[in-house]
Amino acid sequence: MIPDRIDALFEFWPDLTAAEVVGRARERGHHLDVGTLSAARSGHIVHPSVETVIAIAAGFGVTPEYFAEAGDTPASGDEIRTARLEVDHDLWMMAVAIARLPPDRRDSVLELLDFLETTDHPLARPASPDHDERRRGNS
């Protein structure tokens, strides 16, 4: 059910607020408000429109198909990660690179990711390669 899927997303990202989800959806060009998100999450909107589901998915950064697969089974963290990977190409490429590592190195990377996921202060994201190229070109 869609309310269960929305709850699973909020449980997966416990610090994420409804207002932030709405803001992210709007940044991506979708119309969504906190009331609609709350009504979908609580089940007051039994059959949300396709546009609403797409907006909610955009707010969480997952594919709309994540909600289409909603059945009676709660979503797992793996399903959420997969839905996120399908949206974010860079994340997908990193996952492919990790999967290709030798097993011992892959385990080390996954342990590091688990550790980072549980810390309150994630490390800053490194600059993109394009940014580094531009900086070298300007020197």
Side-chain angles (χ1 to χ4, degrees):
M1 294 179 57
I2 289 178
D4 296 332
R5 291 288 171 135
I6 296 172
D7 279 341
L9 290 166
F10 276 113
E11 287 172 17
F12 191 76
W13 290 294
D15 295 333
L16 191 62
T17 67
E20 290 171 325
V21 173
V22 167
R24 291 175 180 183
R26 289 181 178 173
E27 287 172 4
R28 293 177 173 114
H30 300 279
H31 176 73
L32 183 66
D33 58 61
V34 172
T36 302
L37 176 59
S38 296
R41 183 179 186 187
S42 67
H44 284 92
I45 297 177
V46 179
H47 300 289
S49 69
V50 171
E51 292 82 10
T52 297
V53 172
I54 291 170
I56 293 170
F60 282 104
V62 299
T63 62
E65 289 79 13
Y66 166 80
F67 292 104
E69 297 166 356
D72 293 333
T73 308
S76 68
D78 287 341
E79 286 178 282
I80 294 169
R81 285 183 189 96
T82 300
R84 179 131 174 81
L85 286 174
E86 290 171 355
V87 169
D88 189 329
H89 179 72
D90 291 338
L91 201 54
W92 176 258
M93 295 308 294
M94 284 189 287
V96 168
I98 291 169
R100 291 180 177 161
L101 290 172
D104 60 327
R105 290 188 178 181
R106 182 175 52 237
D107 291 344
S108 296
V109 170
L110 294 175
E111 286 176 23
L112 176 61
L113 291 173
D114 284 341
F115 171 77
L116 291 174
E117 196 171 55
T118 61
T119 61
D120 290 336
H121 305 287
L123 299 174
R125 184 177 182 179
S128 70
D130 293 339
H131 176 71
D132 291 340
E133 273 306 309
R134 276 186 258 128
R135 192 168 13 147
R136 270 182 260 161
N138 293 335
S139 299

